[in-house]
């Protein structure tokens, strides 16, 4: 069963709020981002396994990235990534011009700072999903201008 967008968005916001407040309200932004990234990693691993269970094996790294941009992203955010670029040397940039979690946020400086918290979970999801299909990488997240964002995937040597 699919989860309606609004439920996923509210759940994500609540996870950020609860983790940000922590047990004593003193969790640093670095700790918060790390925890959200870890949670996203585990969710991404499980989600891509569900998405690929009936699929033929991937041909190569680029095939994986195309799948992530089309099928995986669609299954999570009900839209495809707007743009995929690569330098053909293990670096891929995924551009989402209307990132799901930023749709209701203001683009003022206060909310742009807050928005970075909302990038950790999806960045972790990408890294976990890619790891589950054999692509060991790092994922950098950047807000270009609200609601657009980029995820830079750097494949690590095996």
């Amino acid at each position: 069963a699919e989860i309606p967008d609004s439920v996923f968005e509210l759940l994500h916001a609540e996870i950020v709020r609860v983790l940000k407040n922590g047990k004593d309200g003193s969790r640093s932004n670095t700790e918060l981002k790390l925890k959200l990234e870890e949670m996203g990693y585990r969710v991404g691993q499980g989600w891509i396994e569900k998405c690929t269970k009936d699929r033929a094996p991937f041909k190569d790294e680029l095939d994986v990235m195309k799948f992530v941009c089309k099928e995986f992203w669609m299954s999570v955010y009900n839209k495809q990534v707007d743009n995929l670029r690569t330098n053909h040397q293990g670096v891929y940039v995924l551009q989402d011009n209307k990132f799901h979690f930023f749709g209701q946020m203001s683009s003022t400086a206060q909310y742009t700072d807050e928005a970075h918290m909302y990038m950790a979970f999806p960045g972790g999801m990408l890294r976990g999903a890619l790891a589950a299909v054999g692509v060991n990488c790092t994922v950098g997240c950047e807000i270009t201008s609200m609601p657009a964002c980029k995820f830079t995937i750097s494949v690590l040597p095996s």
Side-chain angles (χ1 to χ4, degrees):
E2 300 263 334
I3 299 172
D5 292 349
S6 57
V7 173
F8 184 48
E9 193 173 320
L10 290 170
L11 177 61
H12 185 256
E14 185 64 9
I15 289 169
V16 171
R17 187 192 68 76
V18 167
L19 289 176
K20 188 174 186 179
N21 292 333
K23 291 179 185 166
D24 58 5
S26 64
R27 185 167 282 169
S28 75
N29 283 351
T30 302
E31 291 171 315
L32 173 61
K33 286 179 186 176
L34 205 81
K35 190 68 175 167
L36 288 165
E37 199 271 342
E38 289 171 1
M39 292 173 72
Y41 184 90
R42 290 189 302 275
V43 170
Q45 285 180 313
W47 197 259
I48 202 157
E49 285 175 12
K50 179 182 173 185
C51 293
T52 59
K53 68 179 178 179
D54 297 324
R55 188 190 187 287
F58 294 106
K59 292 181 270 188
D60 55 23
E61 196 176 271
L62 184 58
D63 192 32
V64 170
M65 295 303 170
K66 288 178 181 178
F67 178 85
V68 165
C69 291
K70 293 177 182 177
E71 307 298 325
F72 181 76
W73 209 258
M74 179 65 83
S75 73
V76 177
Y77 301 112
N78 289 324
K79 69 182 285 290
Q80 294 182 0
V81 167
D82 294 303
N83 193 357
L84 168 64
R85 290 184 321 223
T86 182
N87 67 357
H88 299 286
Q89 296 176 354
V91 177
Y92 300 86
V93 178
L94 285 62
Q95 172 86 32
D96 190 328
N97 295 327
K98 193 171 181 198
F99 188 58
H100 186 76
F101 293 133
F102 297 162
Q104 303 301 318
M105 276 188 190
S106 167
S107 59
T108 62
Q110 171 194 351
Y111 290 103
T112 302
D113 289 342
E114 182 86 2
H116 284 19
M117 294 299 165
Y118 288 83
M119 297 290 293
F121 185 86
M125 275 186 73
L126 275 172
R127 195 170 69 81
L130 291 166
V133 295
V135 178
N136 190 18
C137 63
T138 61
V139 176
C141 307
E142 175 188 351
I143 299 170
T144 48
S145 64
M146 296 276 279
C149 66
K150 289 181 186 175
F151 296 91
T152 302
I153 298 166
S154 300
V155 177
L156 301 172
S158 16

